Amino acid sequence: MFAARCAGVSLAMFVLAYVLGSLAIGAGWRLLLRLLWPGSARATADLLFAIRIFPLGLALATTLGVALPSFLLLEPHATDEAVGTAPLALAAVFLALAVWGVWGAVRAQRRTSRAMQQWLDGSTRMDSPNAVPVFRSRQHSPTLTVAGVCAPKVIVSDDAAAVLTPAELNTALRHEIAHVRRYDNLKRLIFRVAAFPGTAALEAAWADQTELAADDAAVSSIDDALDLASALIKVSRLGIISTAELSRALLHSSTALGLRIRRLFAWGSGRRARPARPLWFCGFSFAAMLAVVISSYNAMLGGMHELTEWLVR
Amino acid sequence: MNRILRFISASAVRLGPLEQQLLEALWLRGSTTVRELLDEGSVELAYTTVMTTLDRLYKKKILDRVPEGRAFRYSPRYTKEELERAAAGETIHQLLGSGGAPSLPLSYLVEAVSDHDVRLLDELQQVLDRKRQELCSRDGATKERR
């Protein structure tokens, strides 16, 4: 019974922390972004990713760092108390969230693998400036994409390979390889595992910033910037789809494209609108938070035990 | 293209080898009846097989047909290029349609662009051309100075 109560209480605390964390970031991620303004697209993407997975981290830290030790240390082993309705209900919510998350990730991975198989059927390997393999697809593939998590591959459609100049294609490939280096596809899969309603806007903002970060990584001169802008325009013309056919997410990407190309035009002319928060500010905030947690750990364990007692009753 | 996407379903875009072979023959000939196709000798199949396959392509809205005597005259509804573009668009739409880009482990250079944005692309192309000209003239001036 002790073990069952321990599991029930731990899972309940996980769910409470996860849900509260998710609601908090859903409401406050824009404010947090303004406060911690990191400056570059890469740092902004990293911050948005950290905010997005914060509920999962918070839930794990609360469960493993506080709830579990508090229960093991402060709960008498001998008592024959029942698990309680509230912990049982919350544990059921945990199971539902876990199944939803894992199923979503497995489904996304399977759909991607199927699409990749289709695109790679009859494809030819192209010269790549990098260890990441590049394939020219003869099937109905997107113009330029990087697919896969464990063994990512860049796929270039026949149309794109025909329409882009070698310089444009090289810059576009560098853009895709930047996604591979930053494990963007893995991060997308993590989003699916840590699923929660109402995080679409945050994920879309992250996706926009990853594109900008990959643009930055692909470009090292104004010539590169213009080549990439040209590649974007040409590839966009190949992929025009009727507005009626577009989902909201695609319309969003369609709007962001103009901004992205104009940003490339302005390459090297002081693009940063606001200065970034200095690194010491973020480091200091984190260290201060850690100090508060360490100094009040005993009190936290006691508080958590009272909370679990209340929850079990 | 939009018209095609609206009419062709995802399953229709995926063609079997026999369907592909007959569609290729129709693209070459323009329009044909089953008998003409068999008499020409480019297809070595049974009459009923060809008839059933062409009927399937018609039902997938890839072919048009008009009655001719007791048979039908079939013609392709779209050019090869139109169909390939439609199929590519459909595949991407199918993949992304349900949840947007962040829902799948895929990163695109450009996800998709609405047909409303063609003018925007034209404008951006003009700016790009101007920028390239500026860059060329600047480089030329620098070289002359040297």
Side-chain angles (χ1 to χ4, degrees):
Chain A
M1 190 54 78
F2 180 82
R5 261 187 310 134
C6 181
V9 163
S10 301
L11 294 181
M13 285 303 153
F14 183 96
V15 167
L16 285 177
Y18 186 70
V19 170
L20 290 176
S22 296
L23 292 174
I25 62 145
W29 68 269
R30 287 183 183 88
L31 178 69
L32 202 60
L33 189 64
R34 265 201 296 274
L35 285 174
L36 296 173
W37 184 252
S40 72
R42 182 187 165 134
T44 308
D46 288 342
L47 177 63
L48 287 171
F49 177 73
I51 294 174
R52 176 61 186 82
I53 61 157
F54 168 75
L56 185 64
L58 176 73
L60 284 171
T62 307
T63 309
L64 301 175
V66 188
L68 195 62
S70 143
F71 194 88
L72 294 174
L73 292 171
L74 303 174
E75 182 70 12
H77 286 235
T79 55
D80 200 22
E81 236 175 317
V83 179
T85 318
L88 274 178
L90 289 169
V93 174
F94 169 84
L95 277 178
L97 279 171
V99 168
W100 182 34
V102 172
W103 171 241
V106 169
R107 218 172 120 236
Q109 183 57 28
R110 277 173 54 190
R111 284 171 71 191
T112 310
S113 302
R114 266 204 304 271
M116 262 175 82
Q117 250 177 357
Q118 194 186 327
W119 297 334
L120 289 172
D121 186 26
S123 63
T124 48
R125 195 165 173 162
M126 294 171 70
D127 287 337
S128 165
N130 198 278
V132 182
V134 179
F135 292 90
R136 182 170 172 161
S137 170
R138 303 200 188 290
Q139 297 297 322
H140 310 307
S141 70
T143 43
L144 247 154
T145 186
V146 58
V149 174
C150 301
K153 293 175 181 71
V154 177
I155 298 164
V156 184
S157 76
D158 248 356
D159 286 348
V163 85
L164 298 178
T165 65
E168 288 164 355
L169 185 60
N170 267 337
T171 326
L173 287 177
R174 284 207 297 273
H175 168 100
E176 297 302 334
I177 286 161
H179 282 302
V180 175
R181 288 204 175 132
R182 290 181 49 73
Y183 301 99
D184 286 338
N185 287 348
L186 177 65
K187 288 173 186 168
R188 284 171 205 269
L189 215 54
I190 293 171
F191 290 167
R192 297 283 59 77
V193 176
F196 197 81
T199 52
L202 172 55
E203 287 173 20
W206 170 83
D208 283 349
Q209 292 300 320
T210 58
E211 290 307 323
L212 299 182
D215 285 351
D216 288 346
V219 164
S220 57
S221 68
I222 183 68
D223 286 324
D224 285 348
L226 296 185
D227 281 337
L228 186 57
S230 178
L232 284 170
I233 294 171
K234 286 180 179 175
V235 164
S236 300
R237 285 191 199 280
L238 290 174
I240 290 170
I241 290 179
S242 145
T243 311
E245 299 290 327
L246 290 172
S247 69
R248 277 185 61 202
L250 294 185
L251 275 175
H252 169 81
S253 81
S254 175
T255 319
L257 180 72
L259 297 172
R260 200 172 144 198
I261 295 177
R262 289 201 174 92
R263 188 173 175 271
L264 286 167
F265 289 156
W267 194 90
S269 55
R271 277 172 289 137
R272 195 173 288 170
R274 286 172 57 188
R277 287 265 179 221
L279 203 61
W280 65 261
F281 176 82
C282 301
F284 178 76
S285 308
F286 181 73
M289 218 166 65
L290 204 67
V292 169
V293 169
I294 291 169
S295 62
S296 59
Y297 189 66
N298 276 340
M300 279 169 75
L301 286 181
M304 179 61 78
H305 186 66
E306 276 179 32
L307 183 65
T308 52
E309 284 291 323
W310 174 79
L311 206 67
V312 169
R313 280 172 205 148
Chain B
M1 162 83 168
N2 307 339
R3 192 167 46 97
I4 303 170
L5 274 170
R6 226 168 285 142
F7 282 112
I8 302 177
S9 69
S11 58
V13 172
R14 264 178 252 123
L15 299 176
L18 197 57
E19 289 174 329
Q20 272 179 24
Q21 187 192 348
L22 291 182
L23 195 57
E24 293 281 350
L26 271 155
W27 274 322
L28 278 177
R29 288 184 63 94
S31 79
T32 186
T33 61
V34 177
R35 176 55 53 207
E36 284 171 3
L37 207 58
L38 291 169
D39 288 348
E40 191 198 46
S42 60
V43 177
E44 287 180 7
L45 296 164
Y47 185 94
T48 47
T49 309
V50 177
M51 191 178 75
T52 313
T53 312
L54 289 181
D55 184 56
R56 208 160 49 225
L57 285 170
Y58 168 74
K59 281 178 182 156
K60 284 183 174 182
K61 297 185 173 91
I62 289 170
L63 298 184
D64 277 328
R65 73 181 181 193
V66 285
E68 194 174 288
R70 291 174 61 193
F72 287 108
R73 175 166 289 279
Y74 290 91
S75 58
R77 210 164 175 166
Y78 312 105
T79 65
K80 191 175 180 176
E81 291 72 28
E82 279 178 332
L83 197 70
E84 277 175 357
R85 282 192 68 187
E90 183 57 37
T91 311
I92 299 161
H93 176 59
Q94 251 192 311
L95 269 168
L96 300 176
S98 58
S103 70
L104 291 179
L106 289 169
S107 306
Y108 296 87
L109 184 67
V110 177
E111 280 166 10
V113 174
S114 113
D115 48 5
H116 287 182
D117 287 332
V118 175
R119 214 168 56 197
L120 169 77
L121 291 175
D122 291 340
E123 285 168 18
L124 291 168
Q125 184 66 55
Q126 282 174 5
V127 180
L128 175 69
D129 294 341
R130 223 173 26 243
K131 286 262 171 197
R132 280 207 161 129
Q133 269 178 352
E134 279 172 21
L135 206 65
C136 280
S137 53
R138 209 185 309 156
D139 285 350
T142 315
K143 275 177 194 166
E144 272 178 28
R145 244 178 277 145
R146 280 176 192 163

